Structure formats: structure tokens, C-alpha cells
């Protein structure tokens, strides 16, 4: 009777541990089996392969040792001869295992202590696995918890079935939490570490604000309104871009709510952070103008290749557009993903005037003209000597005060000037040691060869080993700030497509690839052919 009571107690302990740690009961039973096996090995010898089984219904413990069937026994604790094995199981073969029952045993204090450690370790591992599996799928959610303790500014949060941490830099500035406070935070990472799963929480993450809006605005939760992007200066100011999939619903109005009730609930949670709600637009210029609110914008100039935009604002709007310590323009840049340069109307006017004077001076010196003619060419929109040299003769002759004879003379001078510059650059290219074969790569000019030579690119192979970023430069974006790295041919206004085409031609010339490698895939070629054959509407 005492034995059966002990068995029942064993199962009750397994049930209690499983409930307390929120893990499967069979994991606890398996841990107990491992513990019994470890204790039995200390009795029968560590080399003995002991197996323990606990009946999950009755709690009965069955101990066995496994013996390997061999031709010649080397260790009686682990091996059994084939003849002896067949006496127990006629079907036994060499390499099989025979299970031999072991008598029940009493455990000493040390064996019991060791068994307890095994159970504790296994249960702890199972608990950690359960925590990791539960929280790894909740990355991107907002979670509520209670402050457990504060260590060096980091807040440890009790999440009920786990423990999270809000690091000091993930807390909103001037925010203080004490033991027992309720806290709401965003799960941005869950990592499996040696000391157990680490659940990282944040109150400064941009998506924390987006999720708060989803909780306050039913239209966002129902995917009628979509949050396209968020930019935050935690505790100070934020911008959120929204768009509605239903034309009858105003996305900004829905997020603000009746008398600002919805946005105010978010502001209160974020310690008074001021929030600008901005309508998102597919047109980059419109979106950027909206993002710079409350400043008014007079004009924008986009450079889509470099993802830069120049914004011109009235002189009195400059401080508003930039914001205190550059906050407004920085948040607008983070929100839109574009680098934004802000100029006043006066600065833009001065820059245009300077460009006009530089172009006039270029024409005066290159074409040996007087100032009036140079200004006339610059005011007609000519930006370079090349444009004058190769423009249609009629376009020059049609300028007021010009005739055909003047146009011919101007083009002649422009072509002479270009030929002279070409000769000088070719001499410099030769002096730099840039080989003639590189001149034959389509798209490369002599001026480019000089720039390449100065950078150490002197052969077709050198150029073929380049990548587009080496030639056109690249922009690195980090923490919302962009850093521009110049390319070798930055001054020539090359697009990435042009640079790539030139590099591929160099690789073809160097024999690295064949014409077949440059041909578009069959599907693309067919699509292009169909597009050309399709009748033009109109």
C-alpha cells in the first residue's frame, strides 16, 4: 500500500510542476525518468546503459539495462553473447539490444540530490523553450506588464508567463517607472540566450506608435486605413503617414477622432509627444510637402536617382520648415525616406544667379564672345558648350538677334573648343598610363578616362572589375541620417543603369562574358516583341 501511495505521489508532483511552470506533464515525467536513470547508473556503473520508464497512469517505475548482442563479450555490463541472447529471444541478431529487468533500488541522499538537480535542469530548459516559443511569434505586438524591478535605468517587466526588459535607451526621455507600475511596451526582439530567452521591449520604437493607433482607431485595425510610415523623436515630436483604402473615409480625421479623442489617447501614453498626422501620397513631391507641415512650400525639385529633394520655402517659413534643432526636416526625411535640402526663395534666387553667371563666363571664355552674347546664350537655357556645338542650327539661328551666319560661326567655335579640350584630355590620359583599349568601351569619354586614370583604373580589366557604386557613388542611411559617398565618375551625372551597361561592355571586351550573357532572357525578349507589335491607342 505504501508503494502505491508513493507512486501516486510521484504523479501528483509531476502534475503540480507541469501546472506551475505551464509546461507539458510528459516533459516532467521524462525528466524524472532521466533522473532515475542517472541515479541507477551511479549504482550499477556509469558504463551501464540503464533505461527507466514511469507509467504515466499508475506511476509504476520499471528499470532495465540494455545489453548489446556481440560474438565475443568484452564487458559483461554492456555486452551479451549471441547464444545467451537467443536463449531469451530466439530472433536476436548480432548488433541488437536485449533488455534485462533490474530490481527496484533504494536511493541514497547523494543519488536523490543528483536526481533532483536533473529534474530541476530539465524543467527549467522546458520552461525556457516554452517561453521562447510563446513570445517569438509575438514580435511586433504591444504587451502589458508590471514593473518587477529597475536596474541601472533598465526596467525589468513581469509579463505573466515571462520576463521582458526595457533598456534605458528604449524608454521615453524623462520617463520614470517604479516597482509595481503598469507598463505598456512593444516587443521588438526575442532572442534565445544561455541564461534563457531574452524578451526585448521598447517604448521609443516607431512601430509602438503605429500599434497604439491601431488600438485606438478601429479603421486601422480593420485595414481600412493603413499606416505607411512613422518617424519619431521620442517624447518630443512624431510624424505618422496614413492612407485610406476607402475614398469616403478621411484618414487624418479618423486618426484624430472626435475632438481629438483618439490622437489624445496616444499622446497621453507617449508622455505628451506631439504628433503630426500626414496624408500619404504616391507622388513623392506631394508627400514631402505634406511631411514638412506646418511649413508652407513654394517649390520642389526632385532628384529621383539619388533620392534627394530640394525644397524652396518663403524666407519667413525657413525656421518653421527646419524646426527646432532641425527636428521638423529630420522627421520629414525619416518619414519619406528622401534626403531633403531646404532653401529660402532668396537663396535659390542667388544660386540661380550664380549658375547664370558661371555659364555666361564659360561661353565668353570658351567661344571668345562678348558678355551680351554669353548672357543671351545662358538665358536661352544652354548649359554647356556641347549643347551649342551639336544643337540644331535652326535653334541657334532662331534666337533673337542671331542669324544663320552667326549660328554657323558659334557652332564652329564650339566644336574647335571641344576638339582642343579633347586633345588636352587625351594627352593627360596617355600621361596617366590609361590604355587605348579602354577608349573603345561604349559610353566612356576621354574626360572619364582621365578621372579613372587618377583613381588607378587604367585597363579594361580594371574597369571590368568595378561595380556601379564605384562609378556613381552611393548613399548610406543610418539612424535616419544619410551619408553620401562619392564615385569616381560622380561629376559626369551617370545613372546606375548607364554605369552597369558600361561595366558589362568592359567585361565583354575583357572576355569575362559572352554576347549570349548580355541577351535578355527569352521571356523578356518575347514580352518586348509583343509590346512593339501591339497597336498604339489613339
Amino acid at each position: 500500500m505504501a508503494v502505491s501511495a508513493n507512486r501516486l505521489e510521484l504523479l501528483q508532483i509531476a502534475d503540480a510542476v507541469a501546472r506551475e511552470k505551464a509546461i507539458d506533464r510528459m516533459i516532467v515525467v521524462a525528466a524524472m525518468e532521466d533522473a532515475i536513470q542517472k541515479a541507477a547508473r551511479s549504482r550499477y556503473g556509469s558504463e551501464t546503459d540503464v533505461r527507466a520508464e514511469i507509467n504515466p497512469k499508475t506511476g509504476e517505475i520499471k528499470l532495465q539495462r540494455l545489453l548489446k548482442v556481440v560474438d565475443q563479450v568484452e564487458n559483461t555490463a554492456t555486452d551479451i553473447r549471441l547464444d545467451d541472447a537467443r536463449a531469451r529471444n530466439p530472433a536476436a541478431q548480432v548488433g541488437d539490444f536485449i533488455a534485462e529487468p533490474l530490481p527496484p533500488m533504494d536511493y541514497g541522499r547523494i543519488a536523490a540530490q543528483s536526481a533532483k538537480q536533473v529534474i530541476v535542469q530539465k524543467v527549467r530548459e522546458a520552461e525556457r523553450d516554452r517561453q521562447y516559443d510563446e513570445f517569438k511569434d509575438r514580435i511586433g505586438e504591444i504587451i502589458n506588464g508590471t514593473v518587477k524591478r529597475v536596474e541601472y535605468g533598465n526596467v525589468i517587466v513581469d509579463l505573466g508567463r515571462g520576463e521582458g526588459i526595457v533598456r534605458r535607451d528604449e524608454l521615453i526621455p524623462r520617463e520614470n517607472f517604479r516597482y509595481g507600475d503598469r507598463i505598456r511596451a512593444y516587443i521588438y526582439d526575442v532572442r534565445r540566450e544561455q541564461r534563457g530567452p531574452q524578451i526585448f521591449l521598447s517604448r521609443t520604437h516607431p512601430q509602438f506608435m503605429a500599434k497604439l493607433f491601431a488600438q485606438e482607431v478601429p479603421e486601422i485595425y480593420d485595414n481600412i486605413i493603413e499606416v505607411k510610415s512613422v518617424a519619431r523623436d521620442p517624447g518630443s515630436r512624431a510624424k505618422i503617414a496614413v492612407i485610406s483604402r476607402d475614398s469616403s473615409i478621411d484618414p487624418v480625421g479618423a486618426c484624430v477622432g472626435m475632438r481629438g479623442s483618439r490622437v489624445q489617447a496616444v499622446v497621453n501614453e507617449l508622455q505628451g509627444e506631439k504628433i503630426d498626422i500626414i496624408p500619404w501620397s504616391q507622388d513623392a513631391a506631394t508627400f514631402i510637402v505634406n511631411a514638412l507641415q506646418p511649413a508652407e512650400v513654394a517649390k520642389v525639385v526632385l532628384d529621383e536617382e539619388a533620392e534627394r529633394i530640394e525644397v524652396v520655402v518663403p524666407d519667413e517659413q525657413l525656421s518653421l520648415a527646419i524646426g527646432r534643432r532641425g527636428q521638423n526636416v529630420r522627421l520629414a526625411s525619416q518619414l519619406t525616406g528622401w534626403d531633403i535640402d531646404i532653401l529660402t526663395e532668396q537663396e535659390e534666387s542667388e544660386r540661380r544667379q550664380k549658375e547664370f553667371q558661371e555659364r555666361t563666363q564659360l561661353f565668353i571664355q570658351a567661344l571668345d564672345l562678348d558678355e551680351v552674347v554669353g548672357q543671351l546664350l545662358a538665358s536661352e537655357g544652354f548649359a554647356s558648350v556641347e549643347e551649342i556645338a551639336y544643337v540644331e542650327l535652326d535653334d541657334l539661328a532662331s534666337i533673337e538677334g542671331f542669324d544663320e551666319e552667326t549660328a554657323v560661326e558659334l557652332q564652329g567655335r564650339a566644336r574647335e573648343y571641344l576638339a582642343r579640350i579633347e586633345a588636352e584630355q587625351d594627352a593627360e590620359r596617355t600621361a596617366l598610363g590609361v590604355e587605348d583599349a579602354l577608349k573603345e568601351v561604349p559610353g566612356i569619354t576621354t574626360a572619364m578616362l582621365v578621372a579613372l586614370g587618377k583613381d588607378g583604373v587604367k585597363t579594361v580589366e580594371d574597369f571590368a572589375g568595378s561595380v556601379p557604386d564605384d562609378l556613381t557613388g552611393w548613399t548610406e542611411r543610418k539612424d535616419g541620417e544619410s551619408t553620401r559617398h562619392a564615385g569616381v565618375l560622380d561629376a559626369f551625372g551617370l545613372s546606375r543603369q548607364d554605369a552597369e551597361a558600361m561595366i558589362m561592355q568592359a567585361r565583354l571586351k575583357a572576355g569575362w562574358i559572352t554576347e549570349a550573357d548580355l541577351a535578355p532572357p527569352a521571356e523578356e525578349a518575347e514580352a518586348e516583341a509583343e509590346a512593339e507589335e501591339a497597336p498604339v491607342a489613339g
Side-chain angles (χ1 to χ4, degrees), residues 296-358:
E296 294 171 14
V297 175
K299 189 169 72 172
V300 294
V301 180
L302 274 85
D303 178 356
E304 293 193 11
E305 183 74 27
E307 286 202 339
R308 279 190 95 80
I309 188 164
E310 202 172 84
V311 177
V312 180
V313 298
D315 294 12
E316 68 277 5
Q317 293 276 317
L318 180 64
S319 58
L320 195 59
I322 293 173
R324 191 174 57 184
R325 299 193 192 95
Q327 188 184 61
N328 194 50
V329 70
R330 184 174 69 251
L331 288 175
S333 180
Q334 287 175 17
L335 189 76
T336 59
W338 287 68
D339 290 329
I340 302 173
D341 294 330
I342 295 187
L343 299 173
T344 63
E345 290 175 330
Q346 184 182 346
E347 286 171 337
E348 196 220 5
S349 171
E350 287 170 358
R351 195 188 65 183
R352 285 183 173 280
Q353 213 167 346
K354 186 183 174 188
E355 286 175 359
F356 178 79
Q357 286 170 351
E358 285 172 354

Side-chain angles (χ1 to χ4, degrees), residues 89-143:
N89 180 1
Q93 300 288 334
V94 173
D96 290 349
F97 284 90
I98 294 289
E100 182 180 76
L102 291 173
M105 55 177 279
D106 291 326
Y107 301 103
R109 185 178 61 81
I110 293 171
Q113 190 67 28
S114 175
K116 181 186 173 186
Q117 285 174 354
V118 170
I119 293 170
V120 169
Q121 181 65 25
K122 292 279 183 185
V123 168
R124 188 180 292 133
E125 283 173 12
E127 188 182 11
R128 286 173 176 175
D129 288 343
R130 191 266 306 153
Q131 275 186 12
Y132 178 76
D133 291 338
E134 180 180 337
F135 286 98
K136 74 177 169 55
D137 297 326
R138 297 184 65 184
I139 292 174
E141 288 183 16
I142 284 181
I143 197 164

Side-chain angles (χ1 to χ4, degrees), residues 430-443:
T430 307
L432 286 166
V434 179
E435 67 176 18
D436 293 347
L438 198 51
K439 284 176 78 173
E440 296 165 19
V441 174

Side-chain angles (χ1 to χ4, degrees), residues 20 30 33 73 91 107 132 146 197 260 288 303 352 357 369 429:
E20 184 190 341
E33 289 174 347
V73 174
Y107 301 103
Y132 178 76
T146 309
I288 290 162
D303 178 356
R352 285 183 173 280
Q357 286 170 351
L369 305 172
R429 185 267 308 172

Side-chain angles (χ1 to χ4, degrees), residues 43-56:
R43 165 88 175 269
Y44 292 108
S46 58
E47 75 278 4
T48 309
D49 190 358
V50 179
R51 296 295 161 91
E53 282 181 31
I54 299 174
N55 188 312

Side-chain angles (χ1 to χ4, degrees), residues 483-535:
T483 308
R484 169 79 183 154
H485 299 272
V488 188
L489 304 181
D490 230 11
F492 298 92
L494 274 182
S495 69
R496 281 186 64 82
Q497 288 80 5
D498 292 342
E500 200 168 317
M502 287 160 61
I503 290 168
M504 295 310 284
Q505 288 296 329
R507 289 175 183 176
L508 182 66
K509 190 170 178 60
W512 294 6
I513 58 173
T514 64
E515 288 281 2
D517 296 323
L518 289 178
E523 298 86 1
E524 284 183 30
E526 284 173 22
E528 284 175 19
E530 284 173 17
E532 285 172 13
E533 289 170 14

Side-chain angles (χ1 to χ4, degrees), residues 250 252-268 277:
D250 169 27
V252 175
C255 292
V256 171
M258 186 75 72
R259 293 180 185 164
S261 59
R262 290 173 174 178
V263 72
Q264 196 56 47
V266 178
V267 168
N268 292 343
I277 303 169

